[in-house]
Amino acid sequence: MPTFRTSDQTEIFYRDLGERQGTPLLLIHGFPLDGRLWDRVAAPLAAHGRVIIPDMRSYGRSARPAGPHTMERGAQDAIELLDHLGITKAFVGGHSMGGYTALAMAENHPARLAGLALLHSHPYADDEAGRKGRYELAATIRTLDRKPWNAAMLTKLTEPGYNDPAGKRILGDMIAEAQPGAIADSAVGMALRPDRTAVWRAFNGPTLFVYGAHDMTVSEARGEAIRRLRDMHPLNRLVTDAHDWWVRLPGGHAGMIESPAAFTRALLQWWKA
Ligand code: MLT
C-alpha cells in the first residue's frame, strides 16, 4: 500500500496507476469523500498515462491529524506527493473542494501545473451565509445524528432521481466513513478560503471546466459566469498558451460516478490534447 509522509508527518495514502509516459494526471477528491470517488474513471484514464490518486489528509486510508484543513495545506500535501514521486509537472484536476485545493496549488506553485481542471467546482469564496453554515457544521457534526446528514450529502452529490444502486453505494460508503473531525476540519478550511477567480482567469495553461446540468453546487448560471471569466478576459488571451475546454454533463455534482464514459472523454481531451 503506497504511502508517504508530508512535511508535518502526516501519512498520506495514494494510488499510482498507468504507464510512466507523458505528463501525469493528479486527481483530488472533494468533500467528504476519498480516492474511491475516481473508481469508475481511474482504469480508463490510466490506459492513457500515469494517474495519481491520493486520499487527502483525514479521508480514506490517510492519517487524521487535527485541522483546520485549509486549501493551502491540501495544496502543500499534493505538491509534496508530486515531490515524493519525482514529478515536476502534472495536470491537476480537482472535484469540488478538490478544485479549491487545485486552485491553491495553481496560486502557490504555478510552475508545477501543466493544466488545471475544475470538476464540478468553482473559484469563488463562500458568502457570509455559506461561511456561517460551515462553522455551524463544524460545531455540531460530532454530536449530529449522521444518518439524515449522510443522506442529504448523497442527495447533493447526484442529480434528482439518480437511481444507480452501485454508484450510490460508492458515494454512500465514502460519506458514511468520513470521520466527524475530518468533516469539521474541512468545513473550517473551506470557510477560510479566499476568492481565487484571478487565479482561474490568469492560469497560464489549458483549463477544463466540467459541470452537471443538474448540479446543485455549481449551477448552470454559475458555470456560464466561470466560463466567461476565462473566455473574455483580455489578459487571459495573452497569457494562455493553449485551449480551454468546457463540458456540460447531463447529471449532478459527480460526473465521474454518474456518467463515467463522458467524464473520461472530457478529461482525455484536455489531458491528452
Ligand atoms: C464538495 O463537493 O467538495 C463540497 O460540496 C464543496 C463545498 O461544500 O463547497
Side-chain angles (χ1 to χ4, degrees):
M1 177 166 112
T3 61
F4 87 106
R5 277 184 190 276
T6 61
S7 51
D8 71 348
Q9 300 305 314
T10 299
E11 188 166 52
I12 298 287
F13 170 89
Y14 63 92
R15 284 184 282 166
D16 185 355
L17 310 169
E19 293 295 324
R20 303 288 186 269
Q21 84 221 0
T23 307
L25 171 65
L26 171 71
L27 294 173
I28 304 176
H29 64 78
F31 168 85
L33 308 171
D34 59 55
R36 287 174 287 176
L37 177 67
W38 311 104
D39 276 3
R40 286 186 164 175
V41 297
L45 287 169
H48 297 267
R50 189 173 185 184
V51 181
I52 316 292
I53 299 181
D55 285 346
M56 299 303 278
R57 62 173 56 210
S58 291
Y59 293 98
R61 284 158 285 187
S62 289
R64 311 188 191 293
H69 294 337
T70 61
M71 303 306 104
E72 293 75 18
R73 180 65 246 186
Q76 186 62 29
D77 290 348
I79 290 292
E80 290 175 11
L81 173 56
L82 296 181
D83 290 345
H84 170 75
L85 295 170
I87 295 170
T88 51
K89 237 177 158 80
F91 281 78
V92 179
H95 171 244
S96 204
M97 181 179 74
Y100 311 156
T101 304
L103 283 161
M105 288 177 80
E107 179 168 69
N108 297 335
H109 307 272
R112 304 298 295 275
L113 277 74
L116 172 63
L118 292 184
L119 308 168
H120 305 282
S121 189
H122 63 82
Y124 305 111
D126 287 344
D127 61 16
E128 231 9 81
R131 213 166 284 134
K132 187 160 172 276
R134 305 268 197 211
Y135 284 115
E136 269 165 23
L137 175 62
T140 56
I141 188 70
R142 288 179 178 82
T143 51
L144 210 63
D145 176 6
R146 275 292 288 276
K147 270 208 168 130
W149 189 84
N150 291 355
M153 273 312 300
L154 183 58
T155 302
K156 203 180 125 188
L157 278 166
T158 54
E159 72 176 322
Y162 177 70
N163 210 14
D164 169 14
K168 283 178 115 162
R169 198 164 46 247
I170 296 173
L171 293 169
D173 284 353
M174 289 188 283
I175 296 168
E177 290 168 30
Q179 298 299 303
I183 292 170
D185 290 343
S186 291
V188 174
M190 286 191 279
L192 291 171
R193 80 188 190 283
D195 178 282
R196 289 200 163 94
T197 48
V199 177
W200 175 245
R201 187 190 289 136
F203 178 73
N204 190 20
T207 61
L208 168 67
F209 179 73
V210 171
Y211 69 109
H214 304 286
D215 192 326
M216 282 176 256
T217 305
V218 185
S219 66
E220 186 99 50
R222 190 163 245 206
E224 196 47 44
I226 297 168
R227 173 207 292 264
R228 278 200 304 271
L229 275 175
R230 202 56 200 162
D231 276 357
M232 304 308 266
H233 196 286
L235 180 64
N236 182 54
R237 298 215 181 122
L238 297 177
V239 299
T240 298
D241 60 8
H243 296 297
D244 295 335
W245 283 267
W246 304 89
V247 180
R248 178 183 185 269
L249 296 178
H253 191 54
M256 62 295 278
I257 298 285
E258 297 173 275
S259 31
F263 188 90
T264 299
R265 276 197 301 278
L267 259 76
L268 283 176
Q269 66 182 356
W270 158 76
W271 179 31
K272 293 289 160 182

